[in-house]
Amino acid sequence: MFLRGLRRRTGRPVPDLVALFRSIIEGGRDVHPIASDFLEHFMDGAGASRKMSLRWLRSFKVIKKAERKNQRRFERQLIREATRLRDGRSSWLHDYWDARINAFIGTELFYVSRMSLLRSQGSFVLTRDGAEVRMSGTVRHRWFDPYDWDRGRWVYIPRHGFVPIAVGRELVEADEARDFLMESRHVQTVEGRHVPGRWPRRGGASFTWSTVGNG
């Protein structure tokens, strides 16, 4: 039933579907202005990519949670590397982590991007001086998601009820709309130290993260 639902067409004339999406755009400007803007770009933007506001993205807990998830992954790697490092030596660490993001239903992020990805690429240097290991590095975060209407069967839109996903697909097929890429980049630095057996308990390590700007 689910697969058949994905293939199901609306059976409505294309002008009616265009009118429906235009109505959603206008009706949503007061409630979800960003979502309305991106739906309008879907209709009029000819497929051009859009850069997302970092401040707007990070206003949602799921975005900051994904960022923190990747930070902790790097921290665990750095702690493991620190415990293996000999006195007076330095080492370098380069890696990346992906965190999948599922927006909560009803939030404006849900209407812009239900499922997205945060890719974090990090480069770090570690130096041991006696028992202490100093760590520093840079992490480049890239959030991205294609804006399309290809996942699911329908979406609930305030004032319009349940709108079939097929509407968006049919508009693309009729050349009345174009999918496009949404993305945002930012850079963070991290400073850390590791001293085995000391506070804090997490492996004797402490880390300080700072956002330095857009990538």
Side-chain angles (χ1 to χ4, degrees):
M1 286 296 293
F2 182 72
L3 291 177
R4 288 201 296 272
L6 288 176
R7 301 191 192 102
R8 190 176 303 156
R9 302 183 67 83
T10 64
R12 297 172 60 182
V14 171
D16 289 355
L17 303 182
V18 172
L20 171 62
F21 268 23
R22 295 294 181 189
S23 176
I24 292 172
I25 292 168
E26 292 306 317
R29 290 195 188 279
D30 294 336
V31 181
H32 296 309
I34 302 298
S36 294
D37 177 48
F38 275 73
L39 182 57
E40 187 172 44
H41 189 74
F42 174 69
M43 301 291 291
D44 300 331
S49 62
R50 286 288 299 270
K51 183 178 180 180
M52 302 291 289
S53 164
L54 177 61
R55 177 178 294 181
W56 183 80
L57 276 175
R58 296 185 80 245
S59 70
F60 296 96
K61 291 182 179 180
V62 290
I63 299 293
K64 289 190 286 188
K65 184 177 179 180
E67 181 183 282
R68 186 63 187 133
K69 180 178 182 178
N70 284 350
Q71 287 176 347
R72 286 174 175 166
R73 287 165 160 174
F74 284 127
E75 290 173 2
R76 287 193 291 268
Q77 285 183 290
L78 289 167
I79 290 170
R80 287 195 297 269
E81 186 68 20
T83 59
R84 293 194 291 261
L85 193 61
R86 295 182 179 180
D87 188 18
R89 302 292 296 273
S90 296
S91 67
W92 290 262
L93 174 67
H94 307 278
D95 205 350
Y96 76 91
W97 290 100
D98 289 342
R100 297 197 176 275
I101 299 164
N102 292 305
F104 292 113
I105 295 175
T107 64
E108 189 168 18
L109 180 62
F110 174 82
Y111 294 113
V112 173
S113 168
R114 285 182 290 168
M115 293 179 284
S116 59
L117 191 74
L118 179 69
R119 174 161 293 174
S120 305
Q121 295 181 301
S123 297
F124 311 90
V125 60
L126 302 87
T127 301
R128 177 179 287 279
D129 182 8
E132 182 179 77
V133 178
R134 291 284 182 177
M135 301 166 279
S136 63
T138 300
V139 175
R140 299 183 180 277
H141 300 282
R142 180 188 179 225
W143 175 92
F144 61 99
D145 181 40
Y147 187 101
D148 54 39
W149 287 69
D150 291 334
R151 295 190 291 262
R153 297 178 61 178
W154 46 259
V155 60
Y156 178 79
I157 298 177
R159 303 177 184 174
H160 291 83
F162 295 100
V163 176
I165 294 296
V167 174
R169 293 200 302 271
E170 290 184 39
L171 288 175
V172 171
E173 292 170 1
D175 204 27
E176 294 288 346
R178 296 282 182 87
D179 297 340
F180 61 94
L181 179 67
M182 302 176 291
E183 63 178 341
S184 178
R185 300 172 186 265
H186 67 286
V187 179
Q188 291 185 320
T189 59
V190 61
E191 298 286 339
R193 62 191 296 268
H194 179 268
V195 181
R198 295 186 181 178
W199 183 264
R201 295 176 182 176
R202 188 177 54 201
S206 61
F207 297 92
T208 301
W209 291 85
S210 303
T211 300
V212 296
N214 294 341

